[in-house]
Amino acid sequence: MKKLLIGTALAAITTAGSVMADGHAVSACLITKTDTNPFFVKMREGAEAAAAEAGITLRSYAGQVDGDHETQVAAIETCILDGASGILLTASDTSSIVGAVTQARDAGLLVIALDTPLDPIDAADATFATDNFLAGELIGQWAAAQLGDDAANARIALLDLAVSQPTVGVLRDQGFLQGFGIDLADPNVNGDEDDPRIVGNDVTAGNEEGGRKAMENLLAVDPSTNVVYTINEPAAAGAYEALKSIGRENDVLIVSVDGGCPGVQNIADGVIGATAQQYPLQMAALGIQAIASFAADGTLPENTEGKDFFDTGVALVTDQPADGVESISVAEGMALCWG
Amino acid sequence: MSGNSDDYEAAQKSPASETVAAFSERKGALARLQHALHVNPALIPLFVLVTSIVLFGLLLGTKFFSPFALTLILQQVQIVGIVAAAQSLVILTAGIDLSVGAIAVLSSVVMGQFTFRYGLPVEVAVTAGLIFGTLIGSMNGWLIAVMKLPPFIVTLGMWQIVLAANFLYSKNATIRSQDIEQQAPLLQFLGTTFKIGADVDGRGGATFTFGVIAMVLIFAVLSYILSQTAWGRHIYAVGDDPEAAQLSGVNVKRTLISVYAVTGFICAIAGWALIGRIGSVSPTSGQLLNIESITAVVIGGISLFGGRGSIMGPLFGALIVGVFTLGLRLAGADAQWTFLLIGALIIGAVAVDQWIRKVSA
């Protein structure tokens, strides 16, 4: 069976080469972590729109759950067989996927990591992503500026993504702490800081349920918590419910990252103080354009100057601008939001 | 013996018959314990629960052993608790239901979407959600009882179908807490809180939600039904030996279908409570409810082989998990320790179940 598969793969790769040489229709693959997260749903919509515009056939694949590495590898193999020109990939397992990605690149496909950098980052031809550290830094600076002198006595709860500390969760958390003016200890690890202002870290799985429970836990540790960093807006909404149940929803500052439409609306409603908005539609559209130009003349995408990836931008959304921190209004954020 | 063979009353009081009555005592303390546990299977989880509360209380002081923290545990376990009550019914019939979490989530999504997408009155939407859960449960029951498919397979398939339907139907969109609060507060009804003994600012004190009350009520009602009604006894009979139950006049098919239907209904209530707890209607919630509910049932001493166990056990089981989670969190332990200890408890609970089983063998 395995031999048969490899044989078929080789045959398909050779035909794929000849298909490209003949200049037939270009096709691309989009492989996301799940089909269920609005962020990836929007990413797919962005890719579909850009593909239709560029006359590219797009096939989309997704893992069944976040962390479903197996399905993503199978999807890469299918794309190679299918003779695609390139793959846009949001990897669930950033280091284990490298083998499959190398296979695809060896077969002549352009592989672009979207949103989540691979480990190592140069395992992909390019990375189109939000600068997650910068996203965290913006909300950290904003929170510190809002508190003013009280920042020295802040009681900070950190609501992270998962126990396994995926890169995106670490970058945002550490960016926030840096922005707030806290010594990071090891910038690659969450929770090793010894600043007395930190109440503690807990994990949320990035949803409302986890956000509420994590907030309750940290409130039990220290009921005087007054600054809450959250990995994303659903977690922030859950944290807000926990604060509301003890009547503290108005005297705690919640900051977040993502910029989904419900999240931005939550800023207008005073649930979240500020969020750092990222642009999944843009990531996908730029990715498709890169595959189109690679298919046309072999052009490889370039990185943003001074970074090892292409930065798709991030903006702080808030209606209470702070001095020295650049931000856009909720109205502007609504116009750019997704989900 | 008085020597008069006609003196039956004296014969009744004879030392011989007293010995018969005290027969089990001869086996020693361990056997008596085994017997006591056989009769009251919820004793062990209750003991573990009380011990863990006392231990964490000694370790952490008032931070843990306060009305606020202890009632917080109740709030944190309410959803798992309600689903575990439903799961218990199925496991008592020697079945298993892997679709419970998915049914709960889809029911909550139906309640939300019926209100916000179709503009139906919220009372109608909630009723529709409850009916929906009951229907999916009935379908599980029909496939298992009439089509004779194994419960594990049926509910494994139903889990995937319902979860996929949940994402397709909801378009992965969350309905925000603020919108629900303004337009359809009934959806958040089970999240309503009330406090006993809070300070003037409304802080501290014992905090309860209607969801917690619902959980306790569900357990109380099921406890009554299982021990006092024919249907309840039929559930045990079917789980213990379906053929014997059939021969003694129990309608096994109808009992099984009704059990899965009631399970679906209770899961829908859990979905409603879920909206109350997290405020919003989120299709990504409750993904682990099936495993968490089975964990609570097993730790609660209900036998996975069916027909044995007390319904109150899973309530204690869910609370044990809640006490461990919050206690270890407050003690500053890594979250992985919770999983490790829960895993040990599960294996321990099954070992105890096997040991008690010997008393009836």
Side-chain angles (χ1 to χ4, degrees):
Chain A
M1 186 65 188
K2 209 169 192 177
K3 268 186 191 161
L4 177 70
L5 276 180
I6 294 169
T8 327
L10 283 175
I13 290 162
T14 21
T15 21
S18 61
V19 167
M20 273 198 290
D22 291 349
H24 280 273
V26 179
S27 78
C29 290
L30 173 70
I31 306 171
T32 53
K33 290 183 196 177
T34 66
D35 254 341
T36 57
N37 181 332
F39 183 84
F40 298 123
V41 174
K42 280 297 145 183
M43 191 179 263
R44 195 175 67 200
E45 285 175 17
E48 276 164 1
E53 203 175 302
I56 290 179
T57 316
L58 180 75
R59 290 185 208 286
S60 301
Y61 303 85
Q64 291 183 340
V65 292
D66 203 330
D68 182 2
H69 174 65
E70 196 86 55
T71 307
Q72 293 201 319
V73 171
I76 292 180
E77 288 165 350
T78 315
C79 294
I80 300 174
L81 282 175
D82 210 27
S85 302
I87 297 174
L88 303 175
L89 169 72
T90 310
S92 278
D93 187 325
T94 48
S95 49
S96 305
I97 200 92
V98 168
V101 166
T102 311
Q103 230 182 335
R105 292 178 70 187
D106 290 347
L109 282 76
L110 178 76
V111 180
I112 298 176
L114 292 189
D115 172 62
T116 307
L118 298 188
D119 185 8
I121 195 165
D122 58 5
D125 288 296
T127 304
F128 289 8
T130 306
D131 188 335
N132 279 304
F133 191 88
L134 178 63
E137 211 173 0
L138 285 171
I139 52 174
Q141 287 167 350
W142 180 85
Q146 279 291 310
L147 289 175
D149 294 341
D150 291 338
N153 309 312
R155 303 295 300 148
I156 306 167
L158 299 158
L159 305 195
D160 295 318
L161 185 55
V163 178
S164 60
Q165 303 205 356
T167 50
V168 54
V170 175
L171 286 167
R172 289 180 189 177
D173 174 293
Q174 299 289 296
F176 166 81
L177 291 174
Q178 170 120 330
F180 200 86
I182 285 172
D183 180 44
L184 297 183
D186 183 347
N188 299 313
V189 179
N190 284 348
D192 62 343
E193 300 80 18
D194 55 5
D195 194 300
R197 288 175 287 181
I198 297 177
V199 171
N201 300 62
D202 208 334
V203 296
T204 61
N207 62 35
E208 287 88 350
E209 220 177 351
R212 169 147 195 180
K213 191 164 185 186
M215 189 72 245
E216 286 171 344
N217 290 347
L218 290 172
L219 281 171
V221 174
D222 184 352
S224 68
T225 301
N226 64 353
V227 177
V228 182
Y229 152 85
T230 55
I231 175 74
N232 65 6
E233 288 136 11
Y240 182 81
E241 291 298 318
L243 289 164
K244 202 165 84 173
S245 79
I246 59 161
R248 291 209 52 214
E249 72 270 29
N250 294 323
D251 51 321
V252 176
L253 209 53
I254 305 180
V255 291
S256 195
V257 178
D258 244 4
C261 296
V264 177
Q265 186 60 46
N266 275 348
I267 297 178
D269 293 344
V271 172
I272 306 173
T275 197
Q277 187 170 46
Q278 46 178 355
Y279 302 102
L281 284 155
Q282 177 110 357
M283 287 176 203
L286 289 170
I288 291 291
Q289 284 160 21
I291 290 177
S293 38
F294 173 74
D297 53 19
T299 320
L300 288 172
E302 280 172 25
N303 289 337
T304 304
E305 212 177 307
K307 297 185 180 178
D308 50 3
F309 62 97
F310 184 92
D311 189 349
T312 51
V314 61
L316 185 74
V317 183
T318 182
D319 269 345
Q320 301 159 271
D323 280 344
V325 193
E326 206 178 312
S327 63
I328 61 173
S329 69
V330 167
E332 290 169 278
M334 274 319 264
L336 296 168
C337 74
W338 45 268
Chain B
M1 296 240 179
S2 63
N4 183 350
S5 57
D6 291 337
D7 187 353
Y8 295 112
E9 271 185 43
Q12 285 282 318
K13 289 174 194 158
S14 74
S17 63
E18 271 171 33
T19 321
V20 171
F23 184 67
S24 59
E25 282 179 35
R26 275 197 197 160
K27 284 182 171 176
L30 201 62
R32 261 186 300 167
L33 175 69
Q34 201 175 13
H35 179 74
L37 293 177
H38 182 66
V39 180
N40 297 301
L43 276 181
I44 290 191
L46 182 61
F47 175 75
V48 175
L49 177 62
V50 172
T51 313
S52 51
I53 292 176
V54 170
L55 279 180
F56 279 117
L58 291 174
L59 199 69
L60 300 164
T62 52
K63 206 160 68 170
F64 177 83
F65 205 74
S66 66
F68 178 74
L70 293 178
T71 47
L72 176 61
I73 294 171
L74 279 170
Q75 290 182 53
Q76 293 190 335
V77 305
Q78 59 179 321
I79 313 290
V80 176
I82 293 174
V83 175
Q87 185 72 264
S88 305
L89 291 180
V90 169
I91 290 182
L92 280 174
T93 67
I96 196 152
D97 194 336
L98 298 175
S99 63
V100 284
I103 296 178
V105 176
L106 184 54
S107 300
S108 76
V109 164
V110 164
M111 292 177 193
Q113 296 290 348
F114 274 35
T115 313
F116 285 86
R117 199 189 292 180
Y118 309 134
L120 294 172
V122 63
E123 294 81 4
V124 176
V126 169
T127 313
L130 295 176
I131 292 174
F132 202 75
T134 314
L135 284 179
I136 301 174
S138 314
M139 214 182 301
N140 275 336
W142 183 79
L143 288 167
I144 289 159
V146 180
M147 302 305 285
K148 304 277 181 209
L149 302 177
F152 187 93
I153 308 294
V154 168
T155 58
L156 181 72
M158 197 58 86
W159 172 23
Q160 317 254 18
I161 293 169
V162 174
L163 209 56
N166 165 51
F167 288 125
L168 290 171
Y169 176 61
S170 67
K171 298 180 182 148
N172 314 309
T174 300
I175 301 172
R176 293 166 63 249
S177 177
Q178 281 63 34
D179 297 334
I180 295 175
E181 208 175 322
Q182 273 176 12
Q183 297 169 41
L186 183 69
L187 289 179
Q188 294 177 342
F189 174 72
L190 290 176
T192 317
T193 52
F194 61 95
K195 292 171 201 271
I196 298 168
D199 62 16
V200 276
D201 297 333
R203 291 181 195 169
T207 313
F208 297 94
T209 64
F210 286 176
V212 169
I213 306 296
M215 171 178 79
V216 174
L217 276 180
I218 287 171
F219 275 102
V221 169
L222 287 182
S223 177
Y224 173 81
I225 288 177
L226 284 171
S227 59
Q228 304 297 329
T229 68
W231 185 67
R233 302 320 297 173
H234 290 174
I235 291 175
Y236 278 97
V238 168
D240 199 33
D241 187 341
E243 281 177 32
Q246 182 80 50
L247 289 172
S248 53
V250 175
N251 187 330
V252 174
K253 278 182 193 168
R254 207 161 62 195
T255 307
L256 277 178
I257 295 176
S258 59
V259 162
Y260 282 90
V262 169
T263 296
F265 175 71
I266 298 176
C267 288
I269 296 180
W272 191 14
L274 187 67
I275 304 177
R277 171 142 173 88
I278 64 175
S280 43
V281 174
S282 163
T284 51
S285 329
Q287 305 269 319
L288 294 174
L289 274 174
N290 50 2
I291 298 299
E292 287 169 345
S293 67
I294 294 169
T295 301
V297 172
V298 172
I299 293 179
I302 288 192
S303 172
L304 277 177
F305 309 105
R308 286 169 6 85
S310 157
I311 183 72
M312 295 316 278
L315 176 60
F316 303 142
L319 285 169
I320 290 168
V321 176
V323 166
F324 272 42
T325 311
L326 188 68
L328 288 171
R329 189 69 200 76
L330 288 178
D334 192 294
Q336 300 296 349
W337 284 105
T338 317
F339 297 120
L340 193 145
L341 285 170
I342 300 298
L345 270 184
I346 292 173
I347 294 175
V350 177
V352 170
D353 177 51
Q354 287 298 317
W355 179 64
I356 299 171
R357 201 162 263 274
K358 285 182 190 154
V359 86
S360 51

